[in-house]
Amino acid sequence: MQSCFQEFTWKCNADSGTPDNLPKLRKSPKNAMGMDVQMVPGKGPTFPEPLKEPEDLQRLRVKVDVATELGYVFKAITLTRHKIEGKVPLIGFTGAPWTLMSYMIEGGGSNTHSKAKRWLYRHPQASHMLLKMLTDVIVEYLLGQVAAGAQALQVFESHAGILGPVEFQAFSLHYLNDIARRVKEKLKEEQKEVPMIVFAKDAHYALEDLSQSHYNVVGLDWTIDPRSARERTGGKVCLQGNMDPCALYAPKESISNIVKNMLEGFGTRGYIANLGHGLYPDMDPENVGAFVEAVHQHSKQMVKQM
C-alpha cells in the first residue's frame, strides 16, 4: 500500500477542531428531509417531533433538492477552501444513515437507543425504507461537498456500537458500502478521485468487514489496539486514529508521550494520526495544539529512521 503517513499526518483533526468543522452547521440530511432540528446548548441536536411509528415517515420529503436545502453548507465549504489557501486539506463529512435514523427517532442523544432499536426489531421494513431515504440524500450531500471544494470525505457511524454484529451488517454496513460505492462511481464519471473515510465507533467486530468495504480509510476509536487493528485489516486500508480524546486533559508533556506510543503502534505506513473521537467543549485548545505538534515531531523522527 502506498504510504499515507507522511502525506496525511497533518490532517489529524478532521473531526475535531480544525477549519474542517466550519461546514458542520445547523442543517444536515435530517433537516433537508423536513424534520425540525434545534441545537440546544448543552444538549446538542434535538428533534421536537421525533418519528414514533412507521406512519410518521409520510412527514418526510421523499424527493430532496439537496443543492437548495443544503446550499449554504456548500458555500461555507467553498469559502473555507479559499480561506485556508491550501495550507491544510479540507475534509467534508456526514453522519451515517443508522446514526441519523437514531437521532430522528430518539429525538436527540440517548444512552440506550432503545426507541430506535425497537424500530429495527418491530418495523424492519420501515427501518430499511428510512435508511434508504437517508442514504439517497447523503450521497447527494457528499457529492455536493466535493463539488464545493472538499478534498476528502468522512462518514461517521457514531452509534455503530449500539448494534450487534448481525444488526450492524443489515442496518449499517450495507448502507455504508452503498454510500461509498455510489459516490465513487459518480466521481469516476466526472474523472475525480476523492479519498473516503469511514468511522464506525465501537464496531470492533466489523473491522475486517470495514477493511474490505469501498472506503480507503477506516477510522478507529481509542478502545482498539493499533497493532491488533493492523493485523486484522491486513494492510487493505489506511487506518486513522486513535488517541483517547480525554488524554487532552493531561499535561502537554504527557500528551507528547501518548502520541509517541500511538504512532509507534500504528507504524509509518498507511496511517493518519487522529483522535479516537471528537473534542469535548471544555478541552483546552492549547492542548489540542500540543497534540498536533507532537504528531509532527514524532512522525518526522520516525520517518527519518526508516
Side-chain angles (χ1 to χ4, degrees), residues 4-46:
C4 59
F5 183 77
Q6 291 170 285
E7 183 177 357
F8 290 118
T9 292
W10 38 282
K11 292 185 179 181
C12 56
N13 255 359
D15 60 345
S16 304
T18 60
D20 304 326
N21 252 355
L22 251 95
K24 190 176 182 180
L25 302 173
R26 299 200 177 195
K27 270 199 177 183
S28 71
K30 305 183 292 287
N31 262 120
M33 293 172 69
M35 290 196 73
D36 179 28
V37 185
Q38 300 177 2
M39 298 299 293
V40 179
K43 190 175 180 181
T46 302

Side-chain angles (χ1 to χ4, degrees), residues 188-244:
K188 187 176 181 180
E189 292 176 6
E190 300 173 0
Q191 297 184 325
K192 296 179 181 178
E193 187 175 355
V194 174
M196 294 191 70
I197 308 163
V198 62
F199 176 71
K201 187 176 182 295
D202 295 325
H204 306 165
Y205 49 78
L207 198 51
E208 290 84 355
D209 291 323
L210 291 168
S211 71
Q212 298 177 52
S213 65
H214 296 277
Y215 292 87
N216 307 92
V217 183
V218 174
L220 306 173
D221 62 65
W222 66 93
T223 62
I224 302 177
D225 177 70
R227 292 175 177 83
S228 173
R230 273 277 179 239
E231 182 178 349
R232 292 175 60 189
T233 55
K236 298 182 181 72
V237 290
C238 182
L239 297 178
Q240 174 177 279
N242 68 333
M243 191 178 87
D244 184 349

Side-chain angles (χ1 to χ4, degrees), residues 76-141:
I77 291 174
T78 302
L79 175 63
T80 305
R81 179 75 185 273
H82 287 300
K83 289 288 185 180
I84 60 181
E85 298 178 332
K87 297 174 183 176
V88 293
L90 186 62
I91 304 179
F93 59 93
T94 181
W98 158 245
T99 293
L100 298 183
M101 173 182 168
S102 178
Y103 275 111
M104 294 166 77
I105 295 173
E106 296 288 342
S110 171
N111 292 326
T112 65
H113 299 268
S114 59
K115 295 177 182 178
K117 291 181 70 176
R118 170 181 171 269
W119 271 56
L120 302 184
Y121 290 105
R122 183 171 290 188
H123 309 298
Q125 186 174 355
S127 296
H128 282 297
M129 184 181 301
L130 176 54
L131 291 165
K132 175 67 165 57
M133 293 169 66
L134 285 163
T135 297
D136 291 343
V137 177
I138 288 169
V139 168
E140 294 302 317
Y141 184 44

